[in-house]
Each structure stands twice: as C-alpha cells, then as structure tokens.
C-alpha cells in the first residue's frame, strides 16, 4: 500500500485536526463543551479571527518611550544637583549660606 496519503485524505486529516479542540485546564468543562459543540456544528471559523498582532499589540514602543523619559529625568536631576553642589561649594555660595 502506498505510504503517502492522497490529496483528499490529507485534506480530511487536516480538517479533523482543525476541528478538534484540545482540553485545557484553564477553561471550565462547560466552556470546553460549548466550544467543541460549536466547532462540530461548523459555527466557529478560525479563519475569520483577526491576526494575533492585532489582538495583542506590542508594548515595545510604549516601554521605549518610558525608558527614554526616565533617562531624561535622571539626567536633568543630576545636572541640577551638580549645579547646586558646585554653587554651594564656591566662595560666593559659602558667603550667601547656600
């Protein structure tokens, strides 16, 4: 017998695999059964779902912006502290009580 599946047999096998929902411990049994029933009825079509990138957008730009803002505030804080320290250690600063 031929070891390779025919095109129609492969299609049927792939279709069966797509219709099966693997049980997960995070979903309650009622939800699993409802999903399985919808798949068997043909009401749940996974090809209509939006891509994952649209459902869960990347936070990379937001985190990068926060990182650069933190660097900016640290730089400004260090600059102000060094200016204050330099003025307070100078003869003018010591005369005026800084």
């Amino acid at each position: 017998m031929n070891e390779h599946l025919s095109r129609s047999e492969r299609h049927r096998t792939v279709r069966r695999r797509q219709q099966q929902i693997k049980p997960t411990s995070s979903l309650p049994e009622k939800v699993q059964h409802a999903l399985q029933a919808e798949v068997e009825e043909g009401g749940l079509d996974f090809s209509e779902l939006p891509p994952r990138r649209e459902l869960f957008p990347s936070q990379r730009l937001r985190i990068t912006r926060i990182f650069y803002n933190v660097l900016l505030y640290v730089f400004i804080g260090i600059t102000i502290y060094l200016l204050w320290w330099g003025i307070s250690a100078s003869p003018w600063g010591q005369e005026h009580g800084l």
Side-chain angles (χ1 to χ4, degrees):
M1 182 163 190
N2 191 355
E3 292 181 17
H4 298 287
L5 296 175
S6 70
R7 178 180 253 178
S8 62
E9 289 172 350
R10 277 185 278 162
H11 181 70
R12 275 187 253 135
T13 306
V14 169
R15 199 141 213 215
R16 271 190 241 126
R17 287 181 188 161
Q18 288 175 347
Q19 289 179 348
Q20 292 174 351
I21 292 181
K22 297 178 183 176
T24 58
S25 59
S26 63
L27 293 175
E29 284 188 36
K30 290 181 181 179
V31 175
Q32 289 179 15
H33 291 302
L35 283 174
Q36 186 68 32
E38 249 190 88
V39 168
E40 289 172 357
E41 291 173 8
L44 195 62
D45 187 14
F46 293 109
S47 64
E48 294 176 7
L49 294 175
R52 186 182 187 284
R53 183 175 285 170
E54 290 178 15
L55 290 176
F56 306 102
S58 174
Q59 299 294 320
R60 189 175 193 171
L61 291 176
R62 183 175 159 259
I63 291 173
T64 303
R65 189 181 68 222
I66 291 171
F67 174 73
Y68 283 124
N69 284 339
V70 167
L71 284 180
L72 177 69
Y73 293 134
V74 167
F75 176 75
I76 290 171
I78 289 174
T79 304
I80 291 171
Y81 172 73
L82 288 175
L83 285 172
W84 174 80
W85 182 56
I87 290 172
S88 67
S90 70
W92 181 85
Q94 289 177 354
E95 287 177 9
H96 291 88
L98 291 177

